Amino acid sequence: MTTTTTELTASSTEPAGLGTPARRRRGGGLGSYLLVRFLLIFPTIFILVTTVFFLMRATGDPITAALGGRLPADQLQERIREAGYDRPLLSQYLDYLGGVVRGDFGTTLSDRRPVTEVLTTFGTATLELTVYALVVAFLIGIPLGQLAAYLRDRLPDAALRVFAILCYATPVFFAGLLLKLVFAVQLDWLPVAGRASTRSEIELQQLDSSTGIYLIDALRTGNGEVVSDVLQHAVLPSIALGLLTAGVFLRLVRTNVIGTLGSGYVEAARSRGVGEYRLLRKHAYRPALIPIITVIGMQIAMLLVGAVLTETTFEWKGLGFQLSEYLQARDFVAVQGIVALLAVIVAVTNFIVDVIAALIDPRVRY
């Protein structure tokens, strides 16, 4: 009886001792976690590209949608046949996927340009605007979030929470129009639209091997006036788009700093006489930034969506501006290419954010 009891005790104890490290190795391995997150990029892009393809075809073939009513019926049918849009939809879809894998997104219908050329020409402008907007979001959202947490339940805290709600609830185009009306029209402090003045555009175009990022190209010219002009044109669209994310960052930082200030190790530091400001800066600030890192990927997607309206409002000629132009022209081939690139950007950005979050906080690997 004693032997049986001992064996049962050993058998019930042994799996717990052996199983826990095994589960930890399976759930907490950084390599396996990153591999899974990387492999998820491909189905994400596939689903988005497939959805856009069939939604674009729901109203008919792209040739008829873009040129119908502007060409005689026989010429229209000839164009449809030459482009292969008279074939079965499944064959068109498989050909399109094959082209995407090879990096060939087709040729635009409205201006007969390779879609890859459109992406490389205007993608840098959207990248530049997105980086500016992220900088604005960090500069506004994180310090104000700390301040709101420090002044919790006081009047400034309530005012900052209302400000955060207004930031992400106000439509981007309305914020852009309001900023233009105040700072460009009434006060005449900043340019109304565009990425640079005509004189600066001419000087930038004279550069060899232009990067397409105006700030970098302006610095390469060595002309301080061109750099100043480029930055002035970027202020209003960056603020209009950056406020969208700044409100999210403000509320996240406030909530997490308040939670961290109530944790055990902060209470222990407070009992040793550490001042509140030092607690905020040294003990509560860094842990509160981890949630910010984890949501950056989602915010990048929001910024890219907002870039369509922001670029249209400020005539910032990037992918968002071109997307609106191609939608008006019903150029489905160009729209598919731009949306596919945006899907790749969002998926890759989320993967990079997952890598950073896993390196900073091992808990996300489980």
Side-chain angles (χ1 to χ4, degrees), residues 16-39:
L18 295 176
T20 302
R23 285 196 299 271
R24 287 180 178 176
R25 285 195 299 270
R26 288 195 300 268
L30 178 61
S32 59
Y33 171 80
L34 296 181
L35 178 62
V36 171
R37 305 304 292 182
F38 176 75
L39 293 177

Side-chain angles (χ1 to χ4, degrees), residues 171-195 232-241 243 309-316 321:
V172 177
F173 71 90
F174 179 77
L177 290 174
L178 189 61
L179 290 171
K180 287 174 65 173
L181 179 63
V182 174
F183 294 102
V185 177
Q186 293 185 353
L187 298 177
D188 195 23
W189 289 354
L190 295 167
V192 175
R195 297 180 64 192
Q232 289 179 24
H233 280 79
V235 170
L236 292 183
S238 301
I239 293 176
L241 186 57
L243 286 176
L309 298 174
T310 306
E311 291 178 4
T312 304
T313 303
F314 290 95
E315 297 181 19
W316 185 282
F321 182 84

